[in-house]
Amino acid sequence: MHINNREKKRVYFVPYILLIFLVVTGCAEAKIIDKLGILVAVGYDLADEDSNDRIRTTVLSYKPGATSTNTVPTSASNNTSKGVREKLSLRTSAKLVIGQMRVAAYGEPLARGGIITLTDTFQRDSEIGTSVYLVVAKDSAEQLLNAKNRQRAGTGDYLYDLLKKNIESGIVPSPTLHHFLNAYYRSGKDPILPYLEVQGDEILISKLALMKDDRMIGSLNLTESFSVKAMMGSNHFLTHEIELNTERLRKYYEPTFDKLYVTLSHVMTKTRIKVIDKNTPEFQVQIRLKGEMEEVSDLINLEEAEVIHALEREAEKTLKSEFEDVMRKLQKKQVDPVGFGSHYRSSVRVQDFTAEKWREMFKEARFVFDVKVTFVNVGITS
């Protein structure tokens, strides 16, 4: 039988394809799914004082085929995050696969000493994505990962959903690995992380942890957390409560209580930061807030446009005062989670701009807040 040149090439080419396929598949590591443990969360704590190890690591994992509610916590101690894997493997029959890891928690004592060596290693691991959420846990990360919750959901999934919801419509700035490392390595901005604690059968975000470089040096309460996130740009908040001065509102109603509160829903904020004096330096922070008036804590006639405008002006005064208070706190601690330093560097084009130089400048910086509040859907046309 006659075979032309083109057919000869095809005949010889096929075995080479098969040979390459066998070599490639032969080199790949076999991962039998029944023998895997899917890791969904990891926690780091300082090891016990009587231990020769530096850190204690806790992982939450489940086996394929089981639901993620059936997570199993496993803990071991060692000196590095990679070194602890060997000890963890001695405590479980499954091979841990970290590609599905969603949350990394750091116990507060460890976080106050610095977490960059444990965090930077994540970006060097090709199996871990940069969308992993980082959090600080009150007392210990092990306690957090061992906690139960009212929804009886798997702790790893519950933590992820809790964080995701409050990032999208709450007070929590994005705490992904990408955002943390970006702030850490950028001069003029500091990382900020959610601070979680366990109260009975409830896991909650109680505040935000302020990070100076990679060390936790303080925290923000919920009101301060709202102020910081509002300053970070365009954001959406599910609800927000504002306390108003009753004395200045007596013209419009007779107060029943000492304090007046307005609760807004579907709150939208837009922020613009501008350097108005490069020498001081001085910033103008323009914040526009809109929200639906959900509830007022006292009896007020909301049919009058004049009353609505008076409430809006009082809300502006309250928010401006809160923004100024939180800035004084941040300046005192010399931490800049908003990133004013980044705005300054891009506007002024300073040479040899460093984190240390900015901390000294930030301590003396001035901030002028221009706040405008608009209440929508309150039943009147203003």
Short mmCIF file of all heavy atoms in Angstrom, two decimals, residues 271-334:
data_model
loop_
_atom_site.label_atom_id
_atom_site.label_comp_id
_atom_site.label_asym_id
_atom_site.label_seq_id
_atom_site.Cartn_x
_atom_site.Cartn_y
_atom_site.Cartn_z
N THR A 271 -17.58 60.11 48.12
CA THR A 271 -16.53 60.91 48.76
C THR A 271 -15.49 61.35 47.74
O THR A 271 -15.09 60.57 46.86
CB THR A 271 -15.86 60.11 49.88
OG1 THR A 271 -16.85 59.73 50.85
CG2 THR A 271 -14.79 60.94 50.58
N ARG A 272 -15.06 62.59 47.89
CA ARG A 272 -13.99 63.14 47.05
C ARG A 272 -12.96 63.79 47.97
O ARG A 272 -13.30 64.63 48.80
CB ARG A 272 -14.58 64.17 46.09
CG ARG A 272 -13.55 64.77 45.14
CD ARG A 272 -14.23 65.63 44.08
NE ARG A 272 -13.24 66.32 43.26
CZ ARG A 272 -13.12 67.62 43.18
NH1 ARG A 272 -13.92 68.40 43.88
NH2 ARG A 272 -12.21 68.17 42.41
N ILE A 273 -11.71 63.36 47.83
CA ILE A 273 -10.62 63.89 48.65
C ILE A 273 -9.70 64.74 47.77
O ILE A 273 -9.28 64.31 46.69
CB ILE A 273 -9.82 62.75 49.30
CG1 ILE A 273 -10.73 61.96 50.25
CG2 ILE A 273 -8.61 63.29 50.07
CD1 ILE A 273 -10.08 60.71 50.83
N LYS A 274 -9.39 65.94 48.25
CA LYS A 274 -8.58 66.87 47.47
C LYS A 274 -7.52 67.52 48.37
O LYS A 274 -7.82 67.92 49.49
CB LYS A 274 -9.47 67.96 46.86
CG LYS A 274 -8.73 68.97 45.99
CD LYS A 274 -9.70 70.01 45.44
CE LYS A 274 -8.97 71.04 44.58
NZ LYS A 274 -9.91 72.08 44.07
N VAL A 275 -6.30 67.58 47.89
CA VAL A 275 -5.22 68.27 48.62
C VAL A 275 -5.35 69.77 48.33
O VAL A 275 -5.25 70.20 47.18
CB VAL A 275 -3.84 67.77 48.18
CG1 VAL A 275 -2.73 68.52 48.92
CG2 VAL A 275 -3.70 66.26 48.42
N ILE A 276 -5.59 70.56 49.39
CA ILE A 276 -5.74 72.01 49.18
C ILE A 276 -4.53 72.80 49.70
O ILE A 276 -4.41 73.99 49.45
CB ILE A 276 -7.04 72.53 49.84
CG1 ILE A 276 -7.10 72.18 51.32
CG2 ILE A 276 -8.25 71.98 49.11
CD1 ILE A 276 -8.34 72.72 52.03
N ASP A 277 -3.65 72.15 50.42
CA ASP A 277 -2.39 72.78 50.86
C ASP A 277 -1.36 71.67 51.00
O ASP A 277 -1.47 70.81 51.88
CB ASP A 277 -2.59 73.50 52.20
CG ASP A 277 -1.33 74.25 52.66
OD1 ASP A 277 -0.24 73.98 52.11
OD2 ASP A 277 -1.44 75.09 53.57
N LYS A 278 -0.36 71.68 50.13
CA LYS A 278 0.62 70.60 50.12
C LYS A 278 1.67 70.75 51.22
O LYS A 278 2.38 69.79 51.53
CB LYS A 278 1.32 70.51 48.77
CG LYS A 278 2.18 71.71 48.42
CD LYS A 278 2.84 71.52 47.07
CE LYS A 278 3.77 72.69 46.74
NZ LYS A 278 4.43 72.51 45.41
N ASN A 279 1.79 71.93 51.80
CA ASN A 279 2.82 72.15 52.80
C ASN A 279 2.39 71.69 54.19
O ASN A 279 3.20 71.16 54.95
CB ASN A 279 3.21 73.63 52.84
CG ASN A 279 3.83 74.08 51.53
OD1 ASN A 279 4.65 73.36 50.96
ND2 ASN A 279 3.43 75.24 51.04
N THR A 280 1.12 71.89 54.55
CA THR A 280 0.68 71.57 55.91
C THR A 280 0.79 70.08 56.26
O THR A 280 1.40 69.76 57.29
CB THR A 280 -0.74 72.10 56.15
OG1 THR A 280 -0.78 73.48 55.84
CG2 THR A 280 -1.17 71.85 57.59
N PRO A 281 0.26 69.13 55.49
CA PRO A 281 -0.67 69.27 54.38
C PRO A 281 -2.12 69.41 54.88
O PRO A 281 -2.41 69.10 56.03
CB PRO A 281 -0.49 67.95 53.62
CG PRO A 281 -0.16 66.97 54.70
CD PRO A 281 0.64 67.72 55.71
N GLU A 282 -2.99 69.88 53.96
CA GLU A 282 -4.40 70.06 54.30
C GLU A 282 -5.26 69.44 53.21
O GLU A 282 -4.98 69.57 52.03
CB GLU A 282 -4.73 71.55 54.45
CG GLU A 282 -6.14 71.81 54.94
CD GLU A 282 -6.39 73.27 55.25
OE1 GLU A 282 -5.43 74.08 55.13
OE2 GLU A 282 -7.54 73.62 55.61
N PHE A 283 -6.31 68.73 53.65
CA PHE A 283 -7.19 68.02 52.73
C PHE A 283 -8.62 68.53 52.86
O PHE A 283 -9.09 68.81 53.97
CB PHE A 283 -7.20 66.52 53.03
CG PHE A 283 -5.88 65.83 52.85
CD1 PHE A 283 -4.94 65.83 53.87
CD2 PHE A 283 -5.58 65.18 51.66
CE1 PHE A 283 -3.73 65.19 53.72
CE2 PHE A 283 -4.35 64.53 51.50
CZ PHE A 283 -3.43 64.54 52.53
N GLN A 284 -9.31 68.61 51.75
CA GLN A 284 -10.75 68.82 51.76
C GLN A 284 -11.40 67.46 51.50
O GLN A 284 -11.08 66.79 50.52
CB GLN A 284 -11.19 69.80 50.68
CG GLN A 284 -12.70 70.06 50.70
CD GLN A 284 -13.17 70.85 49.50
OE1 GLN A 284 -13.01 70.42 48.35
NE2 GLN A 284 -13.73 72.03 49.75
N VAL A 285 -12.29 67.07 52.41
CA VAL A 285 -12.97 65.78 52.28
C VAL A 285 -14.46 66.07 52.06
O VAL A 285 -15.17 66.45 52.98
CB VAL A 285 -12.77 64.90 53.52
CG1 VAL A 285 -13.36 63.51 53.29
CG2 VAL A 285 -11.29 64.81 53.89
N GLN A 286 -14.90 65.90 50.83
CA GLN A 286 -16.29 66.17 50.47
C GLN A 286 -17.08 64.86 50.50
O GLN A 286 -16.77 63.93 49.76
CB GLN A 286 -16.35 66.79 49.07
CG GLN A 286 -17.74 67.23 48.64
CD GLN A 286 -17.75 67.72 47.21
OE1 GLN A 286 -17.78 66.93 46.26
NE2 GLN A 286 -17.69 69.03 47.03
N ILE A 287 -18.09 64.81 51.36
CA ILE A 287 -18.88 63.59 51.52
C ILE A 287 -20.35 63.91 51.26
O ILE A 287 -20.92 64.81 51.88
CB ILE A 287 -18.70 62.98 52.92
CG1 ILE A 287 -17.22 62.62 53.14
CG2 ILE A 287 -19.58 61.74 53.09
CD1 ILE A 287 -16.91 62.12 54.53
N ARG A 288 -20.95 63.15 50.36
CA ARG A 288 -22.37 63.28 50.05
C ARG A 288 -23.08 61.99 50.46
O ARG A 288 -22.71 60.91 50.01
CB ARG A 288 -22.58 63.55 48.55
CG ARG A 288 -21.90 64.83 48.06
CD ARG A 288 -22.56 66.05 48.69
NE ARG A 288 -21.93 67.30 48.30
CZ ARG A 288 -21.12 68.00 49.09
NH1 ARG A 288 -20.81 67.54 50.31
NH2 ARG A 288 -20.61 69.14 48.70
N LEU A 289 -24.09 62.13 51.31
CA LEU A 289 -24.79 60.96 51.85
C LEU A 289 -26.28 61.08 51.55
O LEU A 289 -26.89 62.12 51.81
CB LEU A 289 -24.55 60.85 53.35
CG LEU A 289 -25.18 59.66 54.09
CD1 LEU A 289 -24.30 59.23 55.26
CD2 LEU A 289 -26.58 59.98 54.61
N LYS A 290 -26.84 60.00 51.01
CA LYS A 290 -28.28 59.92 50.78
C LYS A 290 -28.82 58.65 51.44
O LYS A 290 -28.16 57.60 51.41
CB LYS A 290 -28.59 59.87 49.28
CG LYS A 290 -28.41 61.18 48.55
CD LYS A 290 -28.88 61.05 47.10
CE LYS A 290 -28.74 62.38 46.37
NZ LYS A 290 -29.22 62.27 44.96
N GLY A 291 -30.01 58.76 52.02
CA GLY A 291 -30.61 57.59 52.64
C GLY A 291 -32.10 57.75 52.83
O GLY A 291 -32.61 58.88 52.93
N GLU A 292 -32.81 56.63 52.85
CA GLU A 292 -34.24 56.65 53.08
C GLU A 292 -34.50 56.70 54.58
O GLU A 292 -33.93 55.91 55.35
CB GLU A 292 -34.89 55.40 52.49
CG GLU A 292 -34.75 55.30 50.98
CD GLU A 292 -35.39 54.05 50.42
OE1 GLU A 292 -36.12 53.36 51.18
OE2 GLU A 292 -35.17 53.75 49.23
N MET A 293 -35.36 57.63 55.01
CA MET A 293 -35.66 57.76 56.43
C MET A 293 -36.56 56.58 56.84
O MET A 293 -37.73 56.50 56.49
CB MET A 293 -36.35 59.08 56.73
CG MET A 293 -36.53 59.34 58.22
SD MET A 293 -37.34 60.91 58.58
CE MET A 293 -36.05 62.06 58.15
N GLU A 294 -35.98 55.68 57.59
CA GLU A 294 -36.68 54.47 58.00
C GLU A 294 -37.46 54.67 59.29
O GLU A 294 -38.58 54.15 59.45
CB GLU A 294 -35.65 53.34 58.19
CG GLU A 294 -36.23 51.97 58.43
CD GLU A 294 -36.69 51.30 57.14
OE1 GLU A 294 -36.35 51.79 56.05
OE2 GLU A 294 -37.38 50.28 57.25
N GLU A 295 -36.86 55.43 60.22
CA GLU A 295 -37.50 55.58 61.54
C GLU A 295 -36.95 56.81 62.25
O GLU A 295 -35.78 57.16 62.10
CB GLU A 295 -37.24 54.33 62.40
CG GLU A 295 -37.91 54.34 63.75
CD GLU A 295 -37.62 53.08 64.55
OE1 GLU A 295 -37.02 52.14 63.99
OE2 GLU A 295 -37.99 53.04 65.74
N VAL A 296 -37.82 57.48 63.00
CA VAL A 296 -37.43 58.58 63.87
C VAL A 296 -37.87 58.22 65.28
O VAL A 296 -38.97 57.70 65.49
CB VAL A 296 -38.09 59.92 63.45
CG1 VAL A 296 -37.58 61.06 64.31
CG2 VAL A 296 -37.82 60.21 61.99
N SER A 297 -37.02 58.47 66.27
CA SER A 297 -37.28 57.97 67.64
C SER A 297 -38.27 58.82 68.43
O SER A 297 -38.55 58.51 69.59
CB SER A 297 -35.96 57.87 68.42
OG SER A 297 -35.39 59.15 68.59
N ASP A 298 -38.82 59.88 67.83
CA ASP A 298 -39.79 60.72 68.54
C ASP A 298 -40.85 61.19 67.54
O ASP A 298 -40.71 61.01 66.33
CB ASP A 298 -39.10 61.93 69.19
CG ASP A 298 -39.79 62.37 70.48
OD1 ASP A 298 -40.99 62.07 70.63
OD2 ASP A 298 -39.12 63.00 71.31
N LEU A 299 -41.94 61.78 68.07
CA LEU A 299 -43.04 62.23 67.22
C LEU A 299 -42.69 63.58 66.59
O LEU A 299 -42.60 64.59 67.28
CB LEU A 299 -44.32 62.34 68.04
CG LEU A 299 -44.88 61.02 68.59
CD1 LEU A 299 -46.08 61.28 69.50
CD2 LEU A 299 -45.27 60.09 67.45
N ILE A 300 -42.50 63.57 65.26
CA ILE A 300 -42.18 64.78 64.52
C ILE A 300 -43.04 64.81 63.25
O ILE A 300 -43.21 63.78 62.59
CB ILE A 300 -40.68 64.83 64.13
CG1 ILE A 300 -39.80 64.75 65.38
CG2 ILE A 300 -40.35 66.10 63.37
CD1 ILE A 300 -38.32 64.75 65.06
N ASN A 301 -43.54 65.98 62.92
CA ASN A 301 -44.34 66.14 61.71
C ASN A 301 -43.42 66.18 60.50
O ASN A 301 -42.74 67.18 60.24
CB ASN A 301 -45.18 67.41 61.80
CG ASN A 301 -46.04 67.60 60.56
OD1 ASN A 301 -46.16 66.70 59.73
ND2 ASN A 301 -46.64 68.78 60.43
N LEU A 302 -43.41 65.10 59.74
CA LEU A 302 -42.51 65.00 58.59
C LEU A 302 -43.19 65.43 57.29
O LEU A 302 -42.67 65.17 56.20
CB LEU A 302 -41.99 63.56 58.45
CG LEU A 302 -41.17 63.04 59.64
CD1 LEU A 302 -40.76 61.59 59.39
CD2 LEU A 302 -39.96 63.91 59.89
N GLU A 303 -44.35 66.09 57.40
CA GLU A 303 -45.03 66.59 56.21
C GLU A 303 -44.51 67.95 55.78
O GLU A 303 -44.82 68.42 54.69
CB GLU A 303 -46.54 66.68 56.48
CG GLU A 303 -47.20 65.34 56.77
CD GLU A 303 -47.07 64.36 55.62
OE1 GLU A 303 -47.20 64.80 54.47
OE2 GLU A 303 -46.81 63.18 55.88
N GLU A 304 -43.74 68.59 56.64
CA GLU A 304 -43.20 69.92 56.35
C GLU A 304 -41.78 69.82 55.81
O GLU A 304 -40.89 69.22 56.41
CB GLU A 304 -43.19 70.78 57.62
CG GLU A 304 -44.57 71.03 58.22
CD GLU A 304 -45.39 71.97 57.37
OE1 GLU A 304 -44.78 72.76 56.61
OE2 GLU A 304 -46.62 71.92 57.45
N ALA A 305 -41.56 70.43 54.63
CA ALA A 305 -40.23 70.42 54.02
C ALA A 305 -39.21 71.08 54.92
O ALA A 305 -38.05 70.65 55.00
CB ALA A 305 -40.28 71.11 52.66
N GLU A 306 -39.64 72.13 55.64
CA GLU A 306 -38.73 72.85 56.53
C GLU A 306 -38.20 71.94 57.63
O GLU A 306 -37.02 72.03 58.02
CB GLU A 306 -39.47 74.04 57.15
CG GLU A 306 -38.58 74.92 58.02
CD GLU A 306 -39.36 76.06 58.65
OE1 GLU A 306 -40.60 76.08 58.54
OE2 GLU A 306 -38.71 76.94 59.26
N VAL A 307 -39.05 71.05 58.13
CA VAL A 307 -38.65 70.11 59.19
C VAL A 307 -37.62 69.12 58.65
O VAL A 307 -36.60 68.83 59.31
CB VAL A 307 -39.87 69.36 59.76
CG1 VAL A 307 -39.44 68.32 60.79
CG2 VAL A 307 -40.86 70.34 60.38
N ILE A 308 -37.89 68.60 57.46
CA ILE A 308 -36.95 67.64 56.85
C ILE A 308 -35.59 68.28 56.65
O ILE A 308 -34.54 67.69 56.98
CB ILE A 308 -37.49 67.14 55.50
CG1 ILE A 308 -38.82 66.40 55.69
CG2 ILE A 308 -36.47 66.22 54.82
CD1 ILE A 308 -38.74 65.19 56.57
N HIS A 309 -35.58 69.50 56.16
CA HIS A 309 -34.30 70.20 55.93
C HIS A 309 -33.57 70.44 57.25
O HIS A 309 -32.33 70.34 57.30
CB HIS A 309 -34.54 71.51 55.20
CG HIS A 309 -35.04 71.34 53.81
ND1 HIS A 309 -34.64 70.31 53.00
CD2 HIS A 309 -35.90 72.09 53.07
CE1 HIS A 309 -35.22 70.41 51.83
NE2 HIS A 309 -36.01 71.48 51.83
N ALA A 310 -34.31 70.74 58.30
CA ALA A 310 -33.69 70.96 59.61
C ALA A 310 -33.04 69.67 60.12
O ALA A 310 -31.93 69.69 60.68
CB ALA A 310 -34.73 71.46 60.62
N LEU A 311 -33.73 68.54 59.92
CA LEU A 311 -33.16 67.24 60.33
C LEU A 311 -31.90 66.93 59.51
O LEU A 311 -30.93 66.40 60.05
CB LEU A 311 -34.21 66.13 60.16
CG LEU A 311 -35.45 66.20 61.06
CD1 LEU A 311 -36.43 65.11 60.68
CD2 LEU A 311 -35.06 66.07 62.53
N GLU A 312 -31.94 67.24 58.24
CA GLU A 312 -30.78 66.99 57.39
C GLU A 312 -29.57 67.81 57.84
O GLU A 312 -28.45 67.30 57.90
CB GLU A 312 -31.11 67.31 55.93
CG GLU A 312 -32.08 66.33 55.29
CD GLU A 312 -32.55 66.79 53.92
OE1 GLU A 312 -32.48 68.01 53.63
OE2 GLU A 312 -32.99 65.92 53.12
N ARG A 313 -29.81 69.08 58.18
CA ARG A 313 -28.70 69.94 58.62
C ARG A 313 -28.11 69.44 59.93
O ARG A 313 -26.90 69.51 60.14
CB ARG A 313 -29.18 71.39 58.77
CG ARG A 313 -29.78 72.05 57.53
CD ARG A 313 -28.81 72.19 56.39
NE ARG A 313 -28.63 70.98 55.58
CZ ARG A 313 -29.51 70.57 54.66
NH1 ARG A 313 -30.61 71.25 54.41
NH2 ARG A 313 -29.25 69.49 53.97
N GLU A 314 -28.97 68.98 60.83
CA GLU A 314 -28.46 68.44 62.10
C GLU A 314 -27.68 67.15 61.87
O GLU A 314 -26.66 66.90 62.54
CB GLU A 314 -29.62 68.18 63.08
CG GLU A 314 -30.19 69.42 63.71
CD GLU A 314 -29.13 70.24 64.42
OE1 GLU A 314 -28.31 69.65 65.15
OE2 GLU A 314 -29.11 71.47 64.23
N ALA A 315 -28.14 66.33 60.93
CA ALA A 315 -27.41 65.10 60.60
C ALA A 315 -26.02 65.44 60.05
O ALA A 315 -25.04 64.76 60.35
CB ALA A 315 -28.20 64.27 59.59
N GLU A 316 -25.94 66.49 59.25
CA GLU A 316 -24.65 66.93 58.70
C GLU A 316 -23.70 67.33 59.82
O GLU A 316 -22.51 66.98 59.80
CB GLU A 316 -24.87 68.09 57.74
CG GLU A 316 -25.56 67.69 56.46
CD GLU A 316 -26.04 68.88 55.63
OE1 GLU A 316 -25.80 70.03 56.07
OE2 GLU A 316 -26.63 68.65 54.55
N LYS A 317 -24.23 68.08 60.81
CA LYS A 317 -23.38 68.50 61.94
C LYS A 317 -22.89 67.30 62.73
O LYS A 317 -21.72 67.24 63.13
CB LYS A 317 -24.18 69.44 62.85
CG LYS A 317 -24.49 70.81 62.25
CD LYS A 317 -25.21 71.67 63.26
CE LYS A 317 -25.48 73.08 62.74
NZ LYS A 317 -26.48 73.12 61.66
N THR A 318 -23.78 66.32 62.97
CA THR A 318 -23.39 65.12 63.72
C THR A 318 -22.30 64.35 62.98
O THR A 318 -21.28 63.96 63.56
CB THR A 318 -24.60 64.20 63.94
OG1 THR A 318 -25.55 64.88 64.78
CG2 THR A 318 -24.19 62.90 64.62
N LEU A 319 -22.52 64.10 61.69
CA LEU A 319 -21.56 63.31 60.91
C LEU A 319 -20.23 64.03 60.79
O LEU A 319 -19.17 63.40 60.90
CB LEU A 319 -22.13 63.01 59.52
CG LEU A 319 -23.32 62.04 59.49
CD1 LEU A 319 -23.91 61.97 58.10
CD2 LEU A 319 -22.90 60.66 59.97
N LYS A 320 -20.25 65.33 60.58
CA LYS A 320 -19.01 66.09 60.48
C LYS A 320 -18.22 65.97 61.77
O LYS A 320 -16.99 65.76 61.74
CB LYS A 320 -19.32 67.56 60.19
CG LYS A 320 -18.07 68.42 60.04
CD LYS A 320 -18.42 69.88 59.73
CE LYS A 320 -17.15 70.72 59.63
NZ LYS A 320 -17.45 72.14 59.36
N SER A 321 -18.90 66.07 62.91
CA SER A 321 -18.23 65.92 64.20
C SER A 321 -17.63 64.52 64.36
O SER A 321 -16.51 64.36 64.87
CB SER A 321 -19.22 66.21 65.33
OG SER A 321 -18.62 66.02 66.59
N GLU A 322 -18.38 63.51 63.91
CA GLU A 322 -17.88 62.12 64.01
C GLU A 322 -16.67 61.91 63.11
O GLU A 322 -15.71 61.23 63.50
CB GLU A 322 -19.00 61.14 63.66
CG GLU A 322 -20.11 61.09 64.70
CD GLU A 322 -21.29 60.23 64.29
OE1 GLU A 322 -21.32 59.77 63.13
OE2 GLU A 322 -22.18 60.01 65.13
N PHE A 323 -16.69 62.46 61.91
CA PHE A 323 -15.54 62.36 61.01
C PHE A 323 -14.31 63.02 61.62
O PHE A 323 -13.19 62.48 61.57
CB PHE A 323 -15.85 63.00 59.66
CG PHE A 323 -16.88 62.26 58.85
CD1 PHE A 323 -17.86 62.95 58.15
CD2 PHE A 323 -16.87 60.87 58.77
CE1 PHE A 323 -18.81 62.27 57.39
CE2 PHE A 323 -17.81 60.18 58.02
CZ PHE A 323 -18.79 60.89 57.33
N GLU A 324 -14.50 64.19 62.20
CA GLU A 324 -13.38 64.91 62.82
C GLU A 324 -12.83 64.14 64.02
O GLU A 324 -11.61 64.07 64.21
CB GLU A 324 -13.84 66.30 63.25
CG GLU A 324 -14.13 67.22 62.07
CD GLU A 324 -14.81 68.52 62.47
OE1 GLU A 324 -15.34 68.59 63.62
OE2 GLU A 324 -14.84 69.46 61.66
N ASP A 325 -13.71 63.54 64.81
CA ASP A 325 -13.27 62.76 65.98
C ASP A 325 -12.43 61.56 65.57
O ASP A 325 -11.39 61.27 66.16
CB ASP A 325 -14.48 62.30 66.81
CG ASP A 325 -15.15 63.43 67.56
OD1 ASP A 325 -14.52 64.50 67.71
OD2 ASP A 325 -16.30 63.25 68.01
N VAL A 326 -12.90 60.84 64.56
CA VAL A 326 -12.17 59.63 64.15
C VAL A 326 -10.83 60.00 63.52
O VAL A 326 -9.83 59.28 63.69
CB VAL A 326 -13.02 58.75 63.20
CG1 VAL A 326 -13.08 59.32 61.79
CG2 VAL A 326 -12.48 57.33 63.15
N MET A 327 -10.76 61.14 62.83
CA MET A 327 -9.49 61.56 62.25
C MET A 327 -8.48 61.91 63.33
O MET A 327 -7.29 61.61 63.22
CB MET A 327 -9.68 62.75 61.31
CG MET A 327 -10.27 62.41 59.95
SD MET A 327 -9.46 61.02 59.11
CE MET A 327 -7.75 61.52 59.13
N ARG A 328 -8.95 62.54 64.41
CA ARG A 328 -8.04 62.85 65.52
C ARG A 328 -7.50 61.56 66.14
O ARG A 328 -6.31 61.48 66.51
CB ARG A 328 -8.76 63.69 66.58
CG ARG A 328 -8.86 65.16 66.21
CD ARG A 328 -9.35 65.99 67.39
NE ARG A 328 -10.77 65.78 67.63
CZ ARG A 328 -11.74 66.53 67.09
NH1 ARG A 328 -11.43 67.52 66.27
NH2 ARG A 328 -13.00 66.28 67.37
N LYS A 329 -8.34 60.54 66.23
CA LYS A 329 -7.90 59.26 66.78
C LYS A 329 -6.87 58.60 65.87
O LYS A 329 -5.85 58.08 66.34
CB LYS A 329 -9.12 58.34 66.96
CG LYS A 329 -8.78 56.98 67.56
CD LYS A 329 -10.04 56.19 67.85
CE LYS A 329 -9.72 54.86 68.52
NZ LYS A 329 -10.97 54.11 68.89
N LEU A 330 -7.12 58.62 64.57
CA LEU A 330 -6.19 58.02 63.62
C LEU A 330 -4.85 58.76 63.61
O LEU A 330 -3.79 58.14 63.54
CB LEU A 330 -6.79 58.02 62.22
CG LEU A 330 -8.04 57.16 62.01
CD1 LEU A 330 -8.58 57.35 60.59
CD2 LEU A 330 -7.76 55.69 62.28
N GLN A 331 -4.91 60.09 63.69
CA GLN A 331 -3.68 60.88 63.71
C GLN A 331 -2.87 60.61 64.98
O GLN A 331 -1.64 60.55 64.94
CB GLN A 331 -4.00 62.36 63.60
CG GLN A 331 -4.45 62.79 62.21
CD GLN A 331 -4.75 64.28 62.14
OE1 GLN A 331 -5.82 64.73 62.53
NE2 GLN A 331 -3.79 65.05 61.65
N LYS A 332 -3.56 60.45 66.10
CA LYS A 332 -2.86 60.18 67.35
C LYS A 332 -2.12 58.85 67.28
O LYS A 332 -1.01 58.71 67.79
CB LYS A 332 -3.86 60.17 68.51
CG LYS A 332 -3.23 60.01 69.87
CD LYS A 332 -4.27 60.10 70.99
CE LYS A 332 -3.63 59.94 72.36
NZ LYS A 332 -4.63 60.04 73.46
N LYS A 333 -2.73 57.86 66.63
CA LYS A 333 -2.11 56.55 66.51
C LYS A 333 -1.20 56.46 65.29
O LYS A 333 -0.51 55.46 65.09
CB LYS A 333 -3.19 55.47 66.44
CG LYS A 333 -3.97 55.31 67.75
CD LYS A 333 -4.96 54.17 67.66
CE LYS A 333 -5.67 53.96 68.99
NZ LYS A 333 -4.74 53.52 70.06
N GLN A 334 -1.22 57.50 64.45
CA GLN A 334 -0.41 57.56 63.23
C GLN A 334 -0.68 56.39 62.29
O GLN A 334 0.23 55.75 61.75
CB GLN A 334 1.08 57.62 63.58
CG GLN A 334 1.53 58.92 64.22
CD GLN A 334 3.02 58.96 64.48
OE1 GLN A 334 3.51 58.41 65.46
NE2 GLN A 334 3.75 59.62 63.58
#
